[in-house]
């Protein structure tokens, strides 16, 4: 299988607030490979979420490019963007953003239903994912009856529905206690190894970052490599 590459070249992001312009990302060039894991570290306000949103095409850079393999995806029209996000990228955020009125199973199934799969196909895939994330017994529960860690497991299952080449996770453990956070990281890494995804995870927690193969540091708008291959080959 050809490994996918998600990369940014000369990426800049500046926010304009009235007469103030705030340069958050300055000329970042970095490539992420499928089947590898990466942490993006940085203090609060350093631009982690801004970077992750640009990588996932949820925002547009002020200058520079975002590539998925050879395709510049930074300025795609919204239809192509939806298709790209649907098939190539799974997203997890600090908060799980679940639909309270739907059951746990339906929260996952909805990903397939909007993509045109049959309800039976969606149900089978969703049960497979609930098994994989360890909460198959919660299929008929409502998401708000789950613990924080279980809700994040559900968000992960939903993100993995379309077998994405990359999982982009913006502080996925930010709302969890230390033990539950390590459980979620372990689960993400198991899924990464089993399904050959690339994982790009932002965090300010060095014990979470250490579990990734390569650690980048975001500071003063620049991204530098902090450590590499701490977990290579495991
Ligand atoms: N839409 C926006 N408009 C103006 N400023 C913004 C916008 N989004 C983010 N910023 C600013 O950009 C900076 C970086 O924000 P960002 O959310 O990327 O940081 P972060 O590293 O993810 O922080 P945290 O760890 O607290 O989540 C902050 O100063 C923030 O106020
Ligand atoms: Mg953030």
């Amino acid at each position: 299988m050809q490994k996918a590459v998600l990369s940014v070249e000369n990426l800049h992001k500046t926010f304009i607030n009235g007469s103030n312009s705030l340069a958050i990302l300055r000329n970042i060039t970095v490539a992420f490979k499928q089947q590898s894991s990466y942490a993006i570290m940085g203090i609060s306000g350093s631009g982690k979420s801004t970077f992750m949103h640009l990588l996932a095409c949820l925002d547009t850079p002020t200058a520079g490019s975002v590539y998925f393999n050879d395709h510049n995806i930074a300025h795609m029209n919204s239809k192509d963007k939806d298709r790209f996000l649907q098939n190539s990228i799974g997203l997890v955020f600090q908060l799980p953003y679940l639909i309270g009125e739907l059951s746990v199973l339906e929260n996952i199934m909805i990903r397939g239903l909007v993509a045109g799969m049959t309800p039976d196909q969606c149900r089978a895939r969703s049960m497979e994912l609930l098994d994989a994330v360890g909460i198959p017994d919660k299929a008929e529960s409502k998401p708000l009856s789950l613990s924080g860690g279980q809700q994040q497991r559900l968000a992960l299952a939903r993100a993995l529905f379309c077998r994405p080449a990359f999982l982009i996770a913006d502080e996925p453990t930010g709302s969890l206690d230390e033990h539950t956070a390590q459980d979620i990281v372990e689960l993400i890494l198991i899924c990464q190894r089993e399904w050959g995804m690339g994982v790009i995870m932002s965090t300010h927690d060095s014990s979470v970052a250490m579990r990734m193969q390569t650690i980048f540091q975001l500071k003063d708008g620049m991204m530098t490599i902090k450590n590499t291959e701490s977990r290579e080959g495991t």
Side-chain angles (χ1 to χ4, degrees):
M1 184 186 71
Q2 179 82 27
K3 278 193 213 171
V5 177
L6 186 60
S7 60
V8 302
E9 273 183 29
N10 307 117
L11 192 74
H12 291 256
K13 184 70 183 181
T14 299
F15 291 112
I16 312 284
N17 272 340
S19 57
N20 287 339
S21 100
L22 204 57
I24 300 300
L25 304 177
R26 304 161 189 252
N27 205 27
I28 295 178
T29 296
V30 62
F32 303 102
K33 286 188 262 171
Q34 195 177 352
Q35 296 177 6
S36 297
S37 59
Y38 305 87
I40 310 289
M41 290 200 78
I43 59 168
S44 181
S46 59
K48 300 182 297 297
S49 296
T50 303
F51 179 76
M52 304 298 262
H53 292 167
L54 291 172
L55 206 53
C57 278
L58 300 177
D59 196 5
T60 320
T62 308
S65 308
V66 183
Y67 290 99
F68 183 75
N69 297 332
D70 294 332
H71 305 289
N72 190 344
I73 55 177
H75 297 283
M76 274 189 308
N77 65 45
S78 60
K79 197 168 151 219
D80 289 346
K81 201 175 277 191
D82 286 350
R83 195 175 317 124
F84 163 72
L85 284 174
Q86 189 87 260
N87 296 322
S88 307
I89 302 283
L91 293 170
V92 181
F93 301 97
Q94 181 169 350
L95 299 174
Y97 297 113
L98 302 166
I99 303 173
E101 292 75 17
L102 301 182
S103 70
V104 164
L105 190 72
E106 288 163 345
N107 263 274
I108 310 177
M109 284 179 64
I110 200 161
R111 281 294 308 271
L113 293 172
V114 296
M117 289 168 63
T118 68
D120 282 351
Q121 287 171 327
C122 293
R123 193 167 294 109
R125 172 79 180 137
S126 302
M127 276 314 300
E128 182 191 353
L129 286 162
L130 279 182
D131 258 337
V133 301
I135 49 168
D137 52 320
K138 300 290 183 189
E140 301 309 325
S141 305
K142 288 278 163 44
L144 293 180
S145 71
L146 305 185
S147 70
Q150 289 168 337
Q151 289 188 22
Q152 207 51 308
R153 284 168 187 265
L154 171 54
L156 178 63
R158 184 185 54 189
L160 298 179
F161 190 93
C162 294
R163 299 180 175 83
F166 287 92
L167 180 73
I168 295 180
D170 188 16
E171 300 241 26
T173 60
S175 311
L176 305 174
D177 65 64
E178 206 177 313
H179 181 77
T180 311
Q182 287 297 341
D183 278 355
I184 293 291
V185 172
E186 183 60 32
L187 180 59
I188 288 176
L189 291 175
I190 288 170
C191 295
Q192 181 237 334
R193 288 192 286 259
E194 210 157 294
W195 293 329
M197 287 183 305
V199 168
I200 306 160
M201 184 184 296
S202 76
T203 181
H204 57 261
D205 182 341
S206 52
S207 68
V208 168
M210 289 291 288
R211 307 291 309 279
M212 305 296 130
Q213 288 167 317
T214 302
I215 303 175
F216 290 102
Q217 178 83 37
L218 197 50
K219 193 176 173 208
D220 300 329
M222 325 264 212
M223 194 175 282
T224 51
I225 198 156
K226 199 174 165 196
N227 178 24
T228 190
E229 307 200 340
S230 56
R231 198 182 65 80
E232 194 78 86
T234 62

